[in-house]
Every structure is written in C-alpha cells, then in structure tokens.
Amino acid sequence: RKTPLLTDSDQLTRADINGDGNINVGDVASLYNRVRAAESPVYSGECGDDAIWTLETYSGTLTISGTGMPKSYKVFEQPWWEYADQIRSVVIEDGITGIGDDYFFECKAIEKVSIADSVTTIGNRAFKDCDALTQVSIPDSVTTIGGEAFGYCEQLKSISLPASLTEISSGV
C-alpha cells in the first residue's frame, strides 16, 4: 500500500499551482520552492531612526525600507556584514532618501541594485569592491554621489548618470 504525499483535498489544492486538477512537475517545483523559501532564514534590524534592513536568504535580497537617511557605517560594521556573501541583490525602497557611506563595501556577491526615486544621495564607497555588480540604475532624484561610490566594481561596465546630478566626488 502506498501512502500519498498529500493526504487531504486542501493540500492537493495548494499543490495544484496552476489549478488544472493535476499535479505536474512545475507544480512540484513551485511547491518545493515555496517550502524552501519559507524555511530559509530572514534577518533584519534597524539601520537608522526610521529605517530597517531585511535580508531574505533564499532570494539573496537585502531590502532597505522606511523613511529618511539611514545611518552610515564604518567598513565591516554594517549590521548585515556577517551575511554579506549571501546578498545578491539590493532594493532601496521608496521613502529612503540616501545610501550611507560604506553601506555595501565589499559585499562581493551583489549583482544588481534597485534604487527608489526618493533617494537623493549615494554615500562615499557605498558599493566599493562589489565585484559581481553588473546592474545599477541611478534615478533622476540623485543629486550627489560620493567618492569611490562604485570604485573597483569590476563587472560594472557602465553607469548612466542622471541629469539632476549636481555633485560627484572623485573615483566614482
């Protein structure tokens, strides 16, 4: 006698992702990914008076959310530093007005960065030595980019600078 993996109709309905009445390979893969994501740790903490950071380890996405300018950190003192090798993408959400000094310094696994239109400042060495960084879109709201903000990002071949930029320090 075989024991079914799914024992009731509710579980079957949840496993039938595409709703066709059948459980196929795509459904199983999707269900597996959902379970894996649910079991993966999520880390978070404060990074300013009204700002928090959240790292979803399954996706490798670090999100900065809240309002205002998050605080700056000294190199290797960022609260997410111990997880730096797990961060593959960064999302700066609407409401955050700046990216602090040394924010992602030597986070070598970051491949892409999404910056909200509320951001006006990118700090000194904010993404310095992010070796895997290939994609960053700087919104028109940014007026200041600090020194070496993207220094030594060897995979980053070009950056489009917004017309709103009024200050750019050396070594960007």
Side-chain angles (χ1 to χ4, degrees):
R1 178 173 177 231
K2 293 184 178 178
T3 304
L5 293 175
L6 304 172
T7 56
D8 64 35
S9 61
D10 184 47
Q11 286 180 320
L12 182 59
T13 302
R14 286 193 311 255
D16 181 18
I17 305 301
N18 65 12
D20 65 359
N22 298 309
I23 299 174
N24 57 42
V25 172
D27 292 331
V28 173
S30 180
L31 185 61
Y32 171 78
N33 287 335
R34 287 181 184 186
V35 169
R36 188 168 168 222
E39 292 176 348
S40 296
V42 174
Y43 303 104
S44 65
E46 294 180 2
C47 57
D49 291 337
D50 296 310
I52 61 168
W53 64 275
T54 304
L55 173 62
E56 297 175 2
T57 58
Y58 176 70
S59 66
T61 301
L62 185 132
T63 303
I64 306 292
S65 59
T67 58
M69 177 69 180
K71 68 185 218 173
S72 290
Y73 295 98
K74 292 181 180 178
V75 177
F76 312 125
E77 291 184 5
Q78 308 93 322
W80 49 82
W81 176 248
E82 67 183 290
Y83 314 111
D85 62 335
Q86 298 175 53
I87 303 170
R88 292 188 305 277
S89 67
V90 171
V91 176
I92 309 295
E93 289 190 343
D94 191 44
I96 297 298
T97 58
I99 301 170
D101 293 346
D102 301 308
Y103 240 56
F104 303 103
F105 184 93
E106 283 200 20
C107 290
K108 294 183 180 288
I110 294 174
E111 298 171 3
K112 62 184 178 178
V113 176
S114 174
I115 302 172
D117 290 334
S118 57
V119 173
T120 59
T121 303
I122 298 174
N124 296 312
R125 300 167 306 280
F127 296 96
K128 184 176 180 182
D129 288 323
C130 291
D131 294 343
L133 185 60
T134 59
Q135 291 181 341
V136 62
S137 179
I138 300 174
D140 290 336
S141 56
V142 172
T143 58
T144 305
I145 299 178
E148 296 186 303
F150 297 95
Y152 302 101
C153 294
E154 296 177 7
Q155 298 301 315
L156 189 59
K157 301 303 180 199
S158 67
I159 300 176
S160 295
L161 300 175
S164 58
L165 199 59
T166 58
E167 181 182 339
I168 186 167
S169 297
S170 65
V172 172

